[in-house]
Amino acid sequence: MKKIAIDAMGGDFAPQALVEGANQALQEFSDIELILYGDEAKIKQYLTASERVSIVHTDEKINSDDEPTKAIRQKKNSSMVLAAKAVKAGEADAVLSAGNTGALLAAGFFIVGRIKNIDRPGLLSTLPTVDGQGFDMLDLGANAENTAHHLYQYAKLGSFYAESVRGIKRPRVGLLNNGTESSKGDPLRKETYELLAADSSLNFIGNVEARELMNGVADVVVTDGFTGNAVLKSIEGTALSIMGQLKKSILGGGLKAKLGALLLKDSLKELKSRLDYSDAGGAVLFGLKAPVVKTHGSSDAKTVCSTIRQIRTMLHTDVVGKSVTEFSKEETQ
């Protein structure tokens, strides 16, 4: 039985979305146990499951505008901190939150702890592609600056994740750059390229450009945290804008547009599902001793359930354990 600690008070729709997502996950999976941290009275309003779920009450929570490191140190009884401490103490196998991203990163670093020989854990998420397969990208903002060695480690971590969690054999690893030629890029990209090309254990396909990401050019894309976060928000914004403009055109296009939309209903649903990556789960702070996963602050119950499914897969495939084993080899080499 795998135990997942959930910060039930984090996010825009807490605790309702978190608890309703937990209800769905408990119905779907019989091999997980959930521990909900937060205001017991508020949680019980939405909790319908009665088995394999428990509540740890606390009145304290970390707000979205709290300074991350300060909040972790001062709000020691907050739902997020208690959930992270449960993982540290071995009372839970993973932690999930929809709350303050910076605070969760700090909790992951300072409480759960990083894997030995991992310099800086990175934030990984599965982003959409036009063929519906998606790609894993990191770092998406855990670090503002990175070295070439950090990016090399992200390639190895991303490959472990793509193979273990998404079932991709020999995942194609691409380095995000401003051109596909090996000579392209700044010193960081050039040095990273050399490191990736020299490691035969990686299926490194070379540099990839941002415009090709959603065409499925690679299964894993590595970049520095600043660039990754900018690309993530660009993809999110573009997808939302496309769907918004399409809806606006249909509603404002008169009877002919509405009839056309009716005929294309199934195709439009398929397009929406391809641009929507909520089914892939949340963003993983990868490189820690246990799964620490952040789902979007505006997540609904469906997205929370999908994120719990993602964590369950991570635990069953032992992707973190495999990472620990792989990176511990560095000391013996």
Side-chain angles (χ1 to χ4, degrees):
M1 190 74 68
K2 301 299 182 182
K3 295 184 178 181
I4 303 172
I6 299 178
D7 166 21
M9 307 311 292
D12 301 339
F13 306 114
Q16 183 174 354
L18 280 300
V19 178
E20 290 179 350
N23 290 331
Q24 292 180 20
L26 288 167
Q27 282 189 327
E28 185 174 346
F29 306 112
S30 60
D31 56 356
I32 61 170
E33 182 178 332
L34 305 181
I35 309 170
L36 306 177
Y37 292 82
D39 189 310
E40 185 172 13
K42 292 180 180 178
I43 290 172
K44 282 185 173 180
Q45 291 179 33
Y46 306 104
L47 186 63
T48 57
S50 58
E51 296 181 354
R52 294 178 286 112
V53 60
S54 58
I55 301 172
V56 176
H57 174 74
T58 179
D59 293 321
E60 196 168 42
K61 70 174 184 176
I62 292 177
N63 300 312
S64 60
D65 57 350
D66 283 344
E67 196 282 317
T69 304
K70 186 177 180 181
I72 291 298
R73 289 174 176 167
Q74 294 185 349
K75 295 186 174 182
K76 295 182 179 180
N77 289 316
S78 64
S79 51
M80 182 186 292
V81 170
L82 292 179
K85 284 182 176 178
V87 174
K88 175 72 172 179
E91 298 166 0
D93 302 300
V95 59
L96 163 64
S97 177
N100 185 314
T101 302
L104 186 63
L105 296 179
F109 289 144
F110 300 126
I111 300 175
V112 177
R114 62 182 173 86
I115 295 172
K116 203 167 189 178
N117 295 323
I118 291 288
D119 297 330
R120 290 190 185 179
L123 201 58
L124 175 152
S125 188
T126 302
L127 303 179
T129 54
V130 292
D131 62 3
Q133 297 302 307
F135 68 97
D136 298 313
M137 187 171 178
L138 74 167
D139 179 18
L140 294 178
N143 307 282
E145 297 180 354
N146 292 107
T147 66
H149 190 64
H150 296 158
L151 269 60
Y152 168 66
Q153 290 188 335
Y154 294 158
K156 297 183 76 171
L157 289 169
S159 292
F160 275 119
Y161 185 90
E163 187 165 355
S164 299
V165 179
R166 299 179 60 222
I168 300 174
K169 298 300 181 184
R170 290 283 291 167
R172 298 163 298 153
V173 178
L175 173 64
L176 187 63
N177 210 332
N178 64 343
T180 58
E181 300 89 346
S182 60
S183 59
K184 284 283 189 177
D186 58 8
L188 172 62
R189 250 54 59 163
K190 290 179 180 178
E191 185 181 351
T192 303
Y193 189 101
E194 292 180 2
L195 290 174
L196 297 178
D199 190 339
S200 59
S201 69
L202 293 170
N203 184 14
F204 179 53
I205 62 170
N207 291 323
V208 296
E209 294 182 286
R211 67 181 180 182
E212 297 296 333
L213 294 181
M214 294 187 70
N215 290 327
V217 66
D219 302 306
V220 177
V221 176
V222 294
T223 188
D224 62 280
F226 182 89
T227 303
N229 189 263
V231 170
L232 169 67
K233 289 175 179 175
S234 295
I235 292 175
E236 284 181 335
T238 300
L240 289 172
S241 295
I242 289 173
M243 297 309 298
Q245 286 298 314
L246 188 58
K247 183 178 180 180
K248 184 177 179 181
S249 296
I250 291 170
L251 294 176
L255 181 60
K256 187 182 292 186
K258 290 182 175 65
L259 287 173
L262 185 61
L263 292 172
L264 292 170
K265 183 177 179 182
D266 292 339
S267 297
L268 292 173
K269 279 186 177 180
E270 184 180 355
L271 173 63
K272 185 176 184 298
S273 66
R274 286 181 178 181
L275 292 175
D276 180 13
Y277 54 91
S278 61
D279 282 344
V284 181
L285 185 57
F286 211 16
L288 299 179
K289 294 178 180 177
V292 174
V293 183
K294 169 69 169 66
T295 191
H296 204 285
S298 60
S299 293
D300 57 12
K302 177 188 173 185
T303 305
V304 172
C305 181
S306 296
T307 307
I308 294 172
R309 181 188 303 115
Q310 171 194 16
I311 295 172
R312 174 181 175 271
T313 302
M314 290 184 69
L315 293 173
H316 279 288
T317 59
D318 193 29
V319 64
V320 172
K322 292 175 183 175
S323 302
V324 171
T325 301
E326 176 64 23
F327 282 93
S328 67
K329 293 177 183 177
E330 293 189 7
E331 287 189 328
T332 60
Q333 291 177 348

